[in-house]
Amino acid sequence: MGSGEGNNSNIRFMLRKEITIKYKFVIRASIISFLGASLVACGASLREYKKFANAGQEYATALDTLLVTSGNYAVDASSEKLLSNRVEDTVKDREEMYIEITKQDKQWLMLIGRMRQHTDLLKRYFIALENLATSDAPTQAQEVTEDIFTQLNNVSANIQGNPLVSDGTGSALSEIPKIILSNKITGALRKELEQRKETIYRELAIQELVLELLTTELKNDLKSIQTNQEERLLFRPYTAADPISDADAWIERRRNILTMTLSIEALNNASESAKDFKEAFQLLLEDKFTIARANELLSEINSLVNIAEEIKNN
């Protein structure tokens, strides 16, 4: 293996380990960003909102990176599976397996692509809500909100229709609470939220559902990649008759592969975090979410910006 290829492999292994440790925190922070604009309606100052909005933009990028990486893991895991079965399969079996696994990969990639759109539109919608609350031209602000929400509905319908998600949407969306708006919310913003508050909550529930699926898939993919790469990159070269050409590289590769899933349990609470912040949205609109708590979350966001930057740089 050339030095360039070895370096690329090491970077990918480092990225996998970093994400297993940090993934749930980035998910939490990205969802916080969706909620930031609603703080205006619940008594937070515009200055506080802008802090959230700025951090939210950075974290939208971080979540987008993680969604793309999840797709890469899915493809890598299935590629390892194809390679591991290739020797024993007939040509016909190989053709059928390749077609079937590639079909599954495309379903995951389609879902991840729609989730990227959904994430961006939710962020834009909450920014539009803030504009609706502060604009001196509410009619124009309402038109922007309407356009974003129309796009969000279309993307959401596409996500719910994906075969990987469709079986679980019924139960996930069956218990949408009745949200009682705070009397502090007035004017055009109140009119907008009266019409769509439960629908927004539903979109956050869809995010929770899909993040749970992606988290489970990511854990399975990492374990599959670990198992197959241990066989292909460690065991076979070690037991082969020829000597290992680069012993130091083999040692480093072995460490990376065997420790790949050490922190995989950190992913278990990712969907639970999504649930927590979905419920926080309800508390925000009902004026039960304190500014002190908002500031705590803002501090957490700022500290996690560095994590997102590290992941992107790797």
Side-chain angles (χ1 to χ4, degrees), residues 175-180 197-198 201-202 278 282 286:
E175 298 183 1
I176 304 299
K178 182 68 176 177
I179 300 174
I180 308 300
K197 59 186 185 301
E198 282 83 16
Y201 186 96
R202 182 199 68 190
K278 176 193 67 180
Q282 180 179 357
E286 294 178 348

Side-chain angles (χ1 to χ4, degrees), residues 23-24 26-28 30-31 34 63 66-67 70 108 111 115 118-119 159 165 203-219 267-275:
Y23 188 74
K24 71 169 183 176
V26 177
I27 289 175
R28 289 182 65 188
S30 65
I31 296 174
F34 298 149
L63 181 57
L66 290 176
L67 287 169
S70 295
W108 278 111
L111 176 60
M115 274 292 291
H118 194 266
T119 298
I159 290 174
V165 176
E203 297 305 324
L204 293 174
I206 291 172
Q207 285 250 326
E208 177 191 354
L209 170 66
V210 177
L211 287 173
E212 183 176 4
L213 289 173
L214 289 175
T215 296
T216 300
E217 183 66 14
L218 177 59
K219 289 165 63 177
L267 296 172
N268 286 340
N269 294 327
S271 59
E272 188 65 27
S273 297
K275 177 182 177 181

Side-chain angles (χ1 to χ4, degrees), residues 12-176:
R12 293 180 65 190
F13 285 131
M14 291 171 61
L15 181 58
R16 289 190 181 108
K17 290 196 293 182
E18 190 75 27
I19 287 180
T20 58
I21 297 171
K22 307 300 184 182
Y23 188 74
K24 71 169 183 176
F25 299 111
V26 177
I27 289 175
R28 289 182 65 188
S30 65
I31 296 174
I32 293 170
S33 72
F34 298 149
L35 305 179
S38 297
L39 290 172
V40 176
C42 297
S45 68
L46 184 59
R47 179 183 176 186
E48 289 297 315
Y49 163 70
K50 286 181 177 179
K51 290 180 182 179
F52 271 88
N54 291 336
Q57 291 177 17
E58 294 186 54
Y59 269 95
T61 301
L63 181 57
D64 186 75
T65 299
L66 290 176
L67 287 169
V68 171
T69 304
S70 295
N72 291 340
Y73 290 153
V75 174
D76 284 352
S78 61
S79 295
E80 292 285 355
K81 182 178 180 180
L82 286 168
L83 287 175
S84 67
N85 292 331
R86 186 178 185 278
V87 176
E88 299 178 1
D89 290 340
T90 65
V91 173
K92 182 175 175 56
D93 288 337
R94 292 175 193 166
E95 292 174 352
E96 292 177 351
M97 177 169 283
Y98 184 89
I99 291 171
E100 179 60 28
I101 288 181
T102 301
K103 178 181 177 182
Q104 295 173 7
D105 285 343
K106 289 179 178 179
Q107 287 180 342
W108 278 111
L109 294 174
M110 181 67 72
L111 176 60
I112 289 168
R114 292 294 180 263
M115 274 292 291
R116 295 176 68 191
Q117 292 178 299
H118 194 266
T119 298
D120 181 64
L121 286 167
L122 271 176
K123 181 190 72 173
R124 289 169 56 195
Y125 180 72
F126 278 99
I127 291 175
L129 284 182
E130 187 271 332
N131 291 334
L132 192 62
T134 59
S135 175
D136 56 2
T139 300
Q140 288 85 343
Q142 180 69 50
E143 290 175 356
V144 173
T145 305
E146 185 76 31
D147 179 63
I148 294 172
F149 203 86
T150 298
Q151 296 179 61
L152 184 61
N153 273 336
N154 292 336
V155 173
S156 178
N158 192 291
I159 290 174
Q160 294 177 64
N162 189 293
L164 298 170
V165 176
S166 55
D167 290 343
T169 52
S171 58
L173 304 179
S174 62
E175 298 183 1
I176 304 299

Side-chain angles (χ1 to χ4, degrees), residues 298-314:
L298 179 59
S299 177
E300 183 178 339
I301 287 177
N302 289 334
S303 68
L304 292 174
V305 168
N306 292 332
I307 295 172
E309 289 301 320
E310 289 175 11
I311 293 174
K312 287 192 295 182
N313 290 337
N314 283 337

